[in-house]
Amino acid sequence: MQQLLHRGAAMTQHRSDESLDASWDDLKLFLACAKYKSFRNAAEELGLTSTTLMRRIDRLEESIGCKLFLRDQSGLTLSDEGTAMISDVTLMERHAFNVFRRASRSSSDATGTVRVAVTEGPGNFWILPRLIDFQKTYRKITVDLRCAMEQADVARLESDIAIQLEPPTNPDLIVVKLGRLHIYPFVSKEYESLHGVPKTLAELQNHRIIKQSAPQVDDTAYARILGLKSLEGIVGIKTNSSIGVLYAVERGAGIGFLPTVSIALGAPLVAVDLGVSHHADLWLTYHKEFRASERHKIVVEWLKKIFDPRTYPCFRDEFIHPNALVPMMAAARESFGLTGYVAATPT
């Protein structure tokens, strides 16, 4: 990067080495702008105002003596100098994160916090109840469980461990397939009593769908799986929350597509047999640096255990009808003392 800084300075104001004072904080802002290609979007992500961010980038460009972005109404595009600089700054960030990772772990210490990011449904309904037993065994490990549909970037220290629906491609990360979520249409028993359930895809026109629109969710999957060109006139409720979908289905708002593990856990739902299903693989990922951390190894192995398809058939690759899962999952539920279902609907 020094070569670029020298070259850029020569091109403009002929700055000397002594006057180059680009800060690491400003370089991080440069990376965010390059990622989001918009001052506004980058500012929202960083918790800054657009004016502040633009001023900081202007200061960085003045400091190194070259323009980093081409700016127009469509957003930001890296200049030739910015393109040449991006890989160096990315490498700097990568090494900085490694320093923090090494500082946060000890190979012989099973004490401290482990941050786990996971999609909303598996996090709240599968992992969280099992954390109770985990804490009885590992009282000195704090699991900071973050449930959201936004994917956490493990490489950028947004989380120590992540469970997500798409495998990352960063070579510094360890990636393990945990299992598979099978998505199936369900209604409440009350809805079935009042409205019946469709027997064919054509009969869907007489019902309403509860649709989830969120990061990591393929927005085109609903129409594609149902063999329809559009869901116009069918969707009654849209929400970004998987818990919201379950809540709405339980309250009889319509047909919702939910993981089959929902009924396996005892949710009072009725499977709608339309001859369609969908699946999404669950991927566990963490940085290679954490292989030497005792507490991280403990949490990783525990997560693998509680999603093991050999023990919990709802996570197998092959589809098992929800009704067949109920008796298959009974023994597994009782082994954790989870004999009752905690409804999404508040009482």
Side-chain angles (χ1 to χ4, degrees):
M1 189 174 75
Q2 285 295 327
Q3 291 179 350
L4 173 64
L5 296 182
H6 289 187
R7 185 183 68 188
M11 291 167 58
T12 54
Q13 301 176 15
H14 304 283
R15 294 176 179 272
S16 66
D17 286 343
E18 289 77 11
S19 65
L20 289 174
D21 58 354
S23 74
W24 171 234
D25 285 340
D26 288 342
L27 291 173
K28 289 190 291 186
L29 300 185
F30 161 67
L31 287 179
C33 291
K35 177 181 179 181
Y36 291 101
K37 298 180 175 60
S38 160
F39 283 129
R40 186 183 66 181
N41 294 342
E44 288 178 357
E45 181 67 20
L46 295 166
L48 301 173
T49 65
S50 296
T51 302
T52 298
L53 180 57
M54 286 188 284
R55 186 172 63 249
R56 296 275 294 274
I57 293 298
D58 286 341
R59 184 177 73 183
L60 175 62
E61 291 178 329
E62 181 182 357
S63 175
I64 64 177
C66 64
K67 284 291 183 182
L68 299 173
F69 295 103
L70 306 177
R71 313 174 192 194
D72 55 38
Q73 291 183 345
S74 63
L76 300 176
T77 304
L78 284 170
S79 66
D80 290 343
E81 289 81 5
T83 300
M85 187 167 135
I86 192 77
S87 60
D88 288 332
V89 181
T90 300
L91 185 61
M92 290 170 63
E93 181 188 53
R94 175 182 170 186
H95 287 312
F97 285 144
N98 284 343
V99 169
F100 289 121
R101 262 186 285 266
R102 293 187 187 106
S104 70
R105 54 101 171 141
S106 171
S107 59
S108 60
D109 191 1
T111 301
T113 298
V114 177
R115 299 174 303 154
V116 178
V118 61
T119 52
E120 196 182 41
N124 283 292
F125 290 110
W126 191 259
I127 295 178
L128 191 58
R130 287 152 179 80
L131 271 177
I132 299 169
D133 281 342
F134 178 86
Q135 283 297 298
K136 291 176 182 177
T137 304
Y138 301 101
R139 299 185 64 84
K140 294 184 178 181
I141 297 178
T142 299
V143 176
D144 181 356
L145 186 65
R146 306 181 181 193
C147 304
M149 289 308 298
E150 290 75 13
Q151 184 169 299
D153 191 335
V154 174
R156 295 174 59 86
L157 280 180
E158 293 177 0
S159 183
D160 298 340
I161 301 167
I163 297 174
Q164 55 199 54
L165 302 182
E166 292 289 338
T169 57
N170 190 317
D172 291 333
L173 303 182
I174 295 173
V175 182
V176 179
K177 182 180 174 182
L178 283 181
R180 175 171 290 179
L181 291 178
H182 294 276
I183 315 301
Y184 207 72
F186 292 95
V187 296
S188 69
K189 294 179 179 178
E190 178 186 12
Y191 183 95
E192 182 187 37
S193 298
L194 291 174
H195 307 289
V197 295
K199 303 297 183 182
T200 64
L201 292 175
E203 293 181 12
L204 270 178
Q205 303 292 336
N206 302 319
H207 297 267
R208 287 293 177 265
I209 288 176
I210 299 138
K211 183 176 182 288
Q212 184 182 8
S213 297
Q216 298 197 67
V217 174
D218 182 357
D219 202 49
T220 66
Y222 290 85
R224 187 176 68 251
I225 294 166
L226 294 171
L228 303 174
K229 292 183 179 180
S230 169
L231 296 182
E232 186 74 26
I234 301 178
V235 175
I237 296 174
K238 291 177 65 176
T239 176
N240 67 333
S241 168
S242 55
I243 294 177
V245 174
L246 177 57
Y247 174 87
V249 173
E250 287 185 342
R251 292 296 300 267
I255 300 170
F257 287 77
L258 296 163
T260 56
V261 66
S262 303
I263 197 169
L265 287 173
L269 303 176
V270 177
V272 180
D273 296 324
L274 295 172
V276 296
S277 65
H278 183 52
H279 69 259
D281 291 332
L282 290 172
W283 301 91
L284 181 145
T285 179
Y286 57 99
H287 199 277
K288 292 177 181 177
E289 287 287 339
F290 287 132
R291 288 181 298 189
S293 169
E294 188 63 27
R295 69 179 184 275
H296 287 88
K297 286 194 294 184
I298 289 171
V299 174
V300 165
E301 291 307 311
W302 173 71
L303 289 170
K304 291 179 182 178
K305 180 179 178 181
I306 67 172
F307 281 94
D308 189 342
R310 294 170 297 182
T311 306
Y312 307 105
C314 55
F315 299 122
R316 292 179 185 174
D317 281 353
E318 66 270 22
F319 173 75
I320 301 173
H321 192 278
N323 295 340
L325 273 176
V326 175
M328 295 174 70
M329 289 289 293
R333 289 175 59 221
E334 291 175 3
S335 69
F336 279 97
L338 301 175
T339 56
Y341 168 71
V342 179
T345 304
T347 56

PDB file of all heavy atoms in Angstrom, residues 25 56 67 70 85 90 97 144 156-157 163 180 186 190 195 200 213 217 221 227 232 267 308 320 324 335 344:
ATOM      1  N   ASP A  25      -8.811   3.856  11.272  1.00  0.00           N
ATOM      2  CA  ASP A  25     -10.265   4.022  11.344  1.00  0.00           C
ATOM      3  C   ASP A  25     -10.822   4.487  10.002  1.00  0.00           C
ATOM      4  O   ASP A  25     -11.865   4.013   9.546  1.00  0.00           O
ATOM      5  CB  ASP A  25     -10.624   5.029  12.437  1.00  0.00           C
ATOM      6  CG  ASP A  25     -10.483   4.446  13.839  1.00  0.00           C
ATOM      7  OD1 ASP A  25     -10.483   3.207  13.950  1.00  0.00           O
ATOM      8  OD2 ASP A  25     -10.375   5.227  14.790  1.00  0.00           O
ATOM      9  N   ARG A  56     -15.151  12.018   6.319  1.00  0.00           N
ATOM     10  CA  ARG A  56     -14.017  11.156   6.676  1.00  0.00           C
ATOM     11  C   ARG A  56     -13.330  10.605   5.424  1.00  0.00           C
ATOM     12  O   ARG A  56     -12.104  10.491   5.366  1.00  0.00           O
ATOM     13  CB  ARG A  56     -14.501  10.011   7.571  1.00  0.00           C
ATOM     14  CG  ARG A  56     -15.062  10.454   8.925  1.00  0.00           C
ATOM     15  CD  ARG A  56     -13.979  10.639   9.952  1.00  0.00           C
ATOM     16  NE  ARG A  56     -13.331   9.393  10.284  1.00  0.00           N
ATOM     17  CZ  ARG A  56     -13.778   8.538  11.209  1.00  0.00           C
ATOM     18  NH1 ARG A  56     -14.913   8.781  11.863  1.00  0.00           N
ATOM     19  NH2 ARG A  56     -13.097   7.441  11.483  1.00  0.00           N
ATOM     20  N   LYS A  67      -7.962  10.170  -5.396  1.00  0.00           N
ATOM     21  CA  LYS A  67      -9.382   9.871  -5.286  1.00  0.00           C
ATOM     22  C   LYS A  67      -9.579   8.362  -5.245  1.00  0.00           C
ATOM     23  O   LYS A  67      -9.030   7.634  -6.073  1.00  0.00           O
ATOM     24  CB  LYS A  67     -10.152  10.454  -6.479  1.00  0.00           C
ATOM     25  CG  LYS A  67     -10.366  11.955  -6.393  1.00  0.00           C
ATOM     26  CD  LYS A  67     -11.342  12.284  -5.269  1.00  0.00           C
ATOM     27  CE  LYS A  67     -11.619  13.779  -5.209  1.00  0.00           C
ATOM     28  NZ  LYS A  67     -12.537  14.099  -4.087  1.00  0.00           N
ATOM     29  N   LEU A  70     -15.296   6.989  -7.551  1.00  0.00           N
ATOM     30  CA  LEU A  70     -16.014   7.791  -8.528  1.00  0.00           C
ATOM     31  C   LEU A  70     -17.452   7.879  -8.043  1.00  0.00           C
ATOM     32  O   LEU A  70     -18.080   6.855  -7.748  1.00  0.00           O
ATOM     33  CB  LEU A  70     -15.948   7.141  -9.915  1.00  0.00           C
ATOM     34  CG  LEU A  70     -14.534   6.820 -10.435  1.00  0.00           C
ATOM     35  CD1 LEU A  70     -14.625   6.109 -11.773  1.00  0.00           C
ATOM     36  CD2 LEU A  70     -13.696   8.085 -10.534  1.00  0.00           C
ATOM     37  N   MET A  85      -5.811  -0.289  -4.126  1.00  0.00           N
ATOM     38  CA  MET A  85      -5.592  -0.205  -2.683  1.00  0.00           C
ATOM     39  C   MET A  85      -6.433  -1.194  -1.889  1.00  0.00           C
ATOM     40  O   MET A  85      -6.084  -1.575  -0.775  1.00  0.00           O
ATOM     41  CB  MET A  85      -5.927   1.229  -2.240  1.00  0.00           C
ATOM     42  CG  MET A  85      -5.606   1.571  -0.802  1.00  0.00           C
ATOM     43  SD  MET A  85      -5.713   3.361  -0.595  1.00  0.00           S
ATOM     44  CE  MET A  85      -6.626   3.434   0.935  1.00  0.00           C
ATOM     45  N   THR A  90      -7.709  -4.678   2.798  1.00  0.00           N
ATOM     46  CA  THR A  90      -8.397  -5.892   3.236  1.00  0.00           C
ATOM     47  C   THR A  90      -7.445  -6.811   3.979  1.00  0.00           C
ATOM     48  O   THR A  90      -7.802  -7.422   4.998  1.00  0.00           O
ATOM     49  CB  THR A  90      -9.002  -6.627   2.026  1.00  0.00           C
ATOM     50  OG1 THR A  90      -9.933  -5.767   1.363  1.00  0.00           O
ATOM     51  CG2 THR A  90      -9.725  -7.893   2.461  1.00  0.00           C
ATOM     52  N   PHE A  97      -7.845  -8.452  12.651  1.00  0.00           N
ATOM     53  CA  PHE A  97      -8.808  -9.352  13.270  1.00  0.00           C
ATOM     54  C   PHE A  97      -8.114 -10.563  13.886  1.00  0.00           C
ATOM     55  O   PHE A  97      -8.511 -11.051  14.951  1.00  0.00           O
ATOM     56  CB  PHE A  97      -9.846  -9.809  12.244  1.00  0.00           C
ATOM     57  CG  PHE A  97     -10.867  -8.758  11.912  1.00  0.00           C
ATOM     58  CD1 PHE A  97     -11.363  -8.643  10.619  1.00  0.00           C
ATOM     59  CD2 PHE A  97     -11.331  -7.885  12.870  1.00  0.00           C
ATOM     60  CE1 PHE A  97     -12.303  -7.685  10.303  1.00  0.00           C
ATOM     61  CE2 PHE A  97     -12.278  -6.920  12.569  1.00  0.00           C
ATOM     62  CZ  PHE A  97     -12.768  -6.812  11.285  1.00  0.00           C
ATOM     63  N   ASP A 144     -23.110 -16.341  24.249  1.00  0.00           N
ATOM     64  CA  ASP A 144     -23.819 -15.136  23.823  1.00  0.00           C
ATOM     65  C   ASP A 144     -24.535 -15.483  22.516  1.00  0.00           C
ATOM     66  O   ASP A 144     -23.942 -15.434  21.432  1.00  0.00           O
ATOM     67  CB  ASP A 144     -22.813 -14.003  23.629  1.00  0.00           C
ATOM     68  CG  ASP A 144     -23.471 -12.689  23.214  1.00  0.00           C
ATOM     69  OD1 ASP A 144     -24.697 -12.676  23.005  1.00  0.00           O
ATOM     70  OD2 ASP A 144     -22.751 -11.686  23.088  1.00  0.00           O
ATOM     71  N   ARG A 156     -14.955 -11.234  10.061  1.00  0.00           N
ATOM     72  CA  ARG A 156     -14.843  -9.837  10.479  1.00  0.00           C
ATOM     73  C   ARG A 156     -15.200  -9.659  11.952  1.00  0.00           C
ATOM     74  O   ARG A 156     -15.536  -8.566  12.388  1.00  0.00           O
ATOM     75  CB  ARG A 156     -15.732  -8.950   9.607  1.00  0.00           C
ATOM     76  CG  ARG A 156     -15.293  -8.900   8.143  1.00  0.00           C
ATOM     77  CD  ARG A 156     -16.282  -8.132   7.294  1.00  0.00           C
ATOM     78  NE  ARG A 156     -16.448  -6.765   7.768  1.00  0.00           N
ATOM     79  CZ  ARG A 156     -15.663  -5.757   7.412  1.00  0.00           C
ATOM     80  NH1 ARG A 156     -14.666  -5.963   6.571  1.00  0.00           N
ATOM     81  NH2 ARG A 156     -15.870  -4.546   7.870  1.00  0.00           N
ATOM     82  N   LEU A 157     -15.165 -10.748  12.710  1.00  0.00           N
ATOM     83  CA  LEU A 157     -15.366 -10.720  14.163  1.00  0.00           C
ATOM     84  C   LEU A 157     -16.769 -10.276  14.569  1.00  0.00           C
ATOM     85  O   LEU A 157     -16.963  -9.809  15.683  1.00  0.00           O
ATOM     86  CB  LEU A 157     -14.338  -9.811  14.841  1.00  0.00           C
ATOM     87  CG  LEU A 157     -12.942 -10.396  15.063  1.00  0.00           C
ATOM     88  CD1 LEU A 157     -12.044  -9.387  15.750  1.00  0.00           C
ATOM     89  CD2 LEU A 157     -13.012 -11.655  15.915  1.00  0.00           C
ATOM     90  N   ILE A 163     -24.086 -20.142  12.578  1.00  0.00           N
ATOM     91  CA  ILE A 163     -24.866 -21.190  11.917  1.00  0.00           C
ATOM     92  C   ILE A 163     -25.739 -20.475  10.902  1.00  0.00           C
ATOM     93  O   ILE A 163     -26.569 -19.638  11.263  1.00  0.00           O
ATOM     94  CB  ILE A 163     -25.719 -21.985  12.921  1.00  0.00           C
ATOM     95  CG1 ILE A 163     -24.814 -22.710  13.922  1.00  0.00           C
ATOM     96  CG2 ILE A 163     -26.611 -22.988  12.192  1.00  0.00           C
ATOM     97  CD1 ILE A 163     -25.569 -23.404  15.040  1.00  0.00           C
ATOM     98  N   ARG A 180     -29.963 -30.487   7.793  1.00  0.00           N
ATOM     99  CA  ARG A 180     -30.843 -29.880   6.794  1.00  0.00           C
ATOM    100  C   ARG A 180     -32.206 -29.579   7.407  1.00  0.00           C
ATOM    101  O   ARG A 180     -32.787 -30.428   8.096  1.00  0.00           O
ATOM    102  CB  ARG A 180     -30.986 -30.822   5.600  1.00  0.00           C
ATOM    103  CG  ARG A 180     -31.968 -30.381   4.536  1.00  0.00           C
ATOM    104  CD  ARG A 180     -31.862 -31.255   3.307  1.00  0.00           C
ATOM    105  NE  ARG A 180     -30.607 -31.012   2.587  1.00  0.00           N
ATOM    106  CZ  ARG A 180     -30.241 -31.655   1.487  1.00  0.00           C
ATOM    107  NH1 ARG A 180     -31.026 -32.602   0.989  1.00  0.00           N
ATOM    108  NH2 ARG A 180     -29.106 -31.368   0.890  1.00  0.00           N
ATOM    109  N   PHE A 186     -47.903 -25.600   6.689  1.00  0.00           N
ATOM    110  CA  PHE A 186     -48.691 -25.963   7.871  1.00  0.00           C
ATOM    111  C   PHE A 186     -49.810 -24.951   8.089  1.00  0.00           C
ATOM    112  O   PHE A 186     -49.719 -23.793   7.674  1.00  0.00           O
ATOM    113  CB  PHE A 186     -47.816 -25.975   9.139  1.00  0.00           C
ATOM    114  CG  PHE A 186     -46.780 -27.055   9.179  1.00  0.00           C
ATOM    115  CD1 PHE A 186     -45.473 -26.802   8.765  1.00  0.00           C
ATOM    116  CD2 PHE A 186     -47.087 -28.313   9.659  1.00  0.00           C
ATOM    117  CE1 PHE A 186     -44.499 -27.787   8.818  1.00  0.00           C
ATOM    118  CE2 PHE A 186     -46.130 -29.309   9.712  1.00  0.00           C
ATOM    119  CZ  PHE A 186     -44.833 -29.047   9.297  1.00  0.00           C
ATOM    120  N   GLU A 190     -57.291 -24.916  14.270  1.00  0.00           N
ATOM    121  CA  GLU A 190     -58.447 -24.031  14.190  1.00  0.00           C
ATOM    122  C   GLU A 190     -58.704 -23.614  12.739  1.00  0.00           C
ATOM    123  O   GLU A 190     -59.853 -23.586  12.283  1.00  0.00           O
ATOM    124  CB  GLU A 190     -58.211 -22.793  15.048  1.00  0.00           C
ATOM    125  CG  GLU A 190     -59.347 -21.778  14.982  1.00  0.00           C
ATOM    126  CD  GLU A 190     -59.021 -20.499  15.716  1.00  0.00           C
ATOM    127  OE1 GLU A 190     -57.836 -20.300  16.075  1.00  0.00           O
ATOM    128  OE2 GLU A 190     -59.931 -19.678  15.898  1.00  0.00           O
ATOM    129  N   HIS A 195     -61.687 -23.426   7.745  1.00  0.00           N
ATOM    130  CA  HIS A 195     -61.522 -23.196   6.311  1.00  0.00           C
ATOM    131  C   HIS A 195     -61.139 -24.450   5.529  1.00  0.00           C
ATOM    132  O   HIS A 195     -61.137 -24.415   4.293  1.00  0.00           O
ATOM    133  CB  HIS A 195     -60.449 -22.133   6.070  1.00  0.00           C
ATOM    134  CG  HIS A 195     -60.675 -20.856   6.829  1.00  0.00           C
ATOM    135  ND1 HIS A 195     -61.680 -19.971   6.522  1.00  0.00           N
ATOM    136  CD2 HIS A 195     -60.015 -20.339   7.907  1.00  0.00           C
ATOM    137  CE1 HIS A 195     -61.633 -18.950   7.355  1.00  0.00           C
ATOM    138  NE2 HIS A 195     -60.636 -19.145   8.206  1.00  0.00           N
ATOM    139  N   THR A 200     -54.934 -29.404  -3.514  1.00  0.00           N
ATOM    140  CA  THR A 200     -54.122 -29.235  -4.715  1.00  0.00           C
ATOM    141  C   THR A 200     -53.581 -27.811  -4.737  1.00  0.00           C
ATOM    142  O   THR A 200     -54.090 -26.917  -4.031  1.00  0.00           O
ATOM    143  CB  THR A 200     -54.936 -29.480  -5.994  1.00  0.00           C
ATOM    144  OG1 THR A 200     -55.957 -28.474  -6.089  1.00  0.00           O
ATOM    145  CG2 THR A 200     -55.589 -30.855  -5.965  1.00  0.00           C
ATOM    146  N   SER A 213     -40.095 -12.742   4.359  1.00  0.00           N
ATOM    147  CA  SER A 213     -39.154 -12.046   3.482  1.00  0.00           C
ATOM    148  C   SER A 213     -38.023 -11.518   4.352  1.00  0.00           C
ATOM    149  O   SER A 213     -38.226 -10.602   5.153  1.00  0.00           O
ATOM    150  CB  SER A 213     -39.844 -10.890   2.753  1.00  0.00           C
ATOM    151  OG  SER A 213     -40.870 -11.375   1.896  1.00  0.00           O
ATOM    152  N   VAL A 217     -33.247 -15.813   3.081  1.00  0.00           N
ATOM    153  CA  VAL A 217     -34.451 -16.486   2.596  1.00  0.00           C
ATOM    154  C   VAL A 217     -34.627 -16.149   1.122  1.00  0.00           C
ATOM    155  O   VAL A 217     -34.665 -14.973   0.748  1.00  0.00           O
ATOM    156  CB  VAL A 217     -35.701 -16.051   3.392  1.00  0.00           C
ATOM    157  CG1 VAL A 217     -36.956 -16.664   2.772  1.00  0.00           C
ATOM    158  CG2 VAL A 217     -35.574 -16.465   4.849  1.00  0.00           C
ATOM    159  N   ALA A 221     -38.525 -18.402  -3.846  1.00  0.00           N
ATOM    160  CA  ALA A 221     -38.740 -19.837  -3.628  1.00  0.00           C
ATOM    161  C   ALA A 221     -40.218 -20.191  -3.502  1.00  0.00           C
ATOM    162  O   ALA A 221     -40.650 -21.232  -3.986  1.00  0.00           O
ATOM    163  CB  ALA A 221     -38.000 -20.301  -2.375  1.00  0.00           C
ATOM    164  N   GLY A 227     -45.032 -23.737  -8.099  1.00  0.00           N
ATOM    165  CA  GLY A 227     -45.296 -23.797  -9.522  1.00  0.00           C
ATOM    166  C   GLY A 227     -46.163 -22.667 -10.017  1.00  0.00           C
ATOM    167  O   GLY A 227     -46.893 -22.810 -11.006  1.00  0.00           O
ATOM    168  N   GLU A 232     -49.449 -13.106  -6.213  1.00  0.00           N
ATOM    169  CA  GLU A 232     -50.384 -11.991  -6.146  1.00  0.00           C
ATOM    170  C   GLU A 232     -51.775 -12.475  -5.721  1.00  0.00           C
ATOM    171  O   GLU A 232     -52.340 -13.405  -6.302  1.00  0.00           O
ATOM    172  CB  GLU A 232     -50.485 -11.322  -7.524  1.00  0.00           C
ATOM    173  CG  GLU A 232     -51.333 -10.064  -7.543  1.00  0.00           C
ATOM    174  CD  GLU A 232     -50.644  -8.888  -6.894  1.00  0.00           C
ATOM    175  OE1 GLU A 232     -49.394  -8.868  -6.873  1.00  0.00           O
ATOM    176  OE2 GLU A 232     -51.357  -7.988  -6.407  1.00  0.00           O
ATOM    177  N   ALA A 267     -45.464 -28.564  18.225  1.00  0.00           N
ATOM    178  CA  ALA A 267     -46.338 -27.453  17.840  1.00  0.00           C
ATOM    179  C   ALA A 267     -47.675 -28.004  17.350  1.00  0.00           C
ATOM    180  O   ALA A 267     -47.705 -28.953  16.566  1.00  0.00           O
ATOM    181  CB  ALA A 267     -45.675 -26.624  16.741  1.00  0.00           C
ATOM    182  N   ASP A 308     -27.116 -33.310  15.429  1.00  0.00           N
ATOM    183  CA  ASP A 308     -26.694 -34.561  14.795  1.00  0.00           C
ATOM    184  C   ASP A 308     -27.895 -35.283  14.176  1.00  0.00           C
ATOM    185  O   ASP A 308     -28.813 -35.698  14.896  1.00  0.00           O
ATOM    186  CB  ASP A 308     -26.026 -35.463  15.834  1.00  0.00           C
ATOM    187  CG  ASP A 308     -25.359 -36.682  15.212  1.00  0.00           C
ATOM    188  OD1 ASP A 308     -25.683 -37.014  14.052  1.00  0.00           O
ATOM    189  OD2 ASP A 308     -24.520 -37.312  15.878  1.00  0.00           O
ATOM    190  N   ILE A 320     -38.609 -36.482   5.640  1.00  0.00           N
ATOM    191  CA  ILE A 320     -39.499 -37.350   6.416  1.00  0.00           C
ATOM    192  C   ILE A 320     -40.771 -36.555   6.676  1.00  0.00           C
ATOM    193  O   ILE A 320     -40.713 -35.418   7.148  1.00  0.00           O
ATOM    194  CB  ILE A 320     -38.854 -37.772   7.758  1.00  0.00           C
ATOM    195  CG1 ILE A 320     -37.533 -38.504   7.501  1.00  0.00           C
ATOM    196  CG2 ILE A 320     -39.803 -38.659   8.558  1.00  0.00           C
ATOM    197  CD1 ILE A 320     -36.760 -38.801   8.765  1.00  0.00           C
ATOM    198  N   ALA A 324     -44.743 -38.391  10.504  1.00  0.00           N
ATOM    199  CA  ALA A 324     -43.873 -39.514  10.850  1.00  0.00           C
ATOM    200  C   ALA A 324     -42.769 -39.089  11.802  1.00  0.00           C
ATOM    201  O   ALA A 324     -42.208 -39.917  12.534  1.00  0.00           O
ATOM    202  CB  ALA A 324     -43.268 -40.116   9.586  1.00  0.00           C
ATOM    203  N   SER A 335     -35.174 -36.921  26.177  1.00  0.00           N
ATOM    204  CA  SER A 335     -33.807 -37.017  26.677  1.00  0.00           C
ATOM    205  C   SER A 335     -33.294 -35.667  27.150  1.00  0.00           C
ATOM    206  O   SER A 335     -32.387 -35.577  27.978  1.00  0.00           O
ATOM    207  CB  SER A 335     -32.877 -37.563  25.587  1.00  0.00           C
ATOM    208  OG  SER A 335     -32.709 -36.616  24.543  1.00  0.00           O
ATOM    209  N   ALA A 344     -45.406 -20.193  20.306  1.00  0.00           N
ATOM    210  CA  ALA A 344     -45.016 -18.828  19.921  1.00  0.00           C
ATOM    211  C   ALA A 344     -46.102 -17.835  20.293  1.00  0.00           C
ATOM    212  O   ALA A 344     -45.845 -16.667  20.508  1.00  0.00           O
ATOM    213  CB  ALA A 344     -44.738 -18.763  18.417  1.00  0.00           C
TER     214      ALA A 344
END
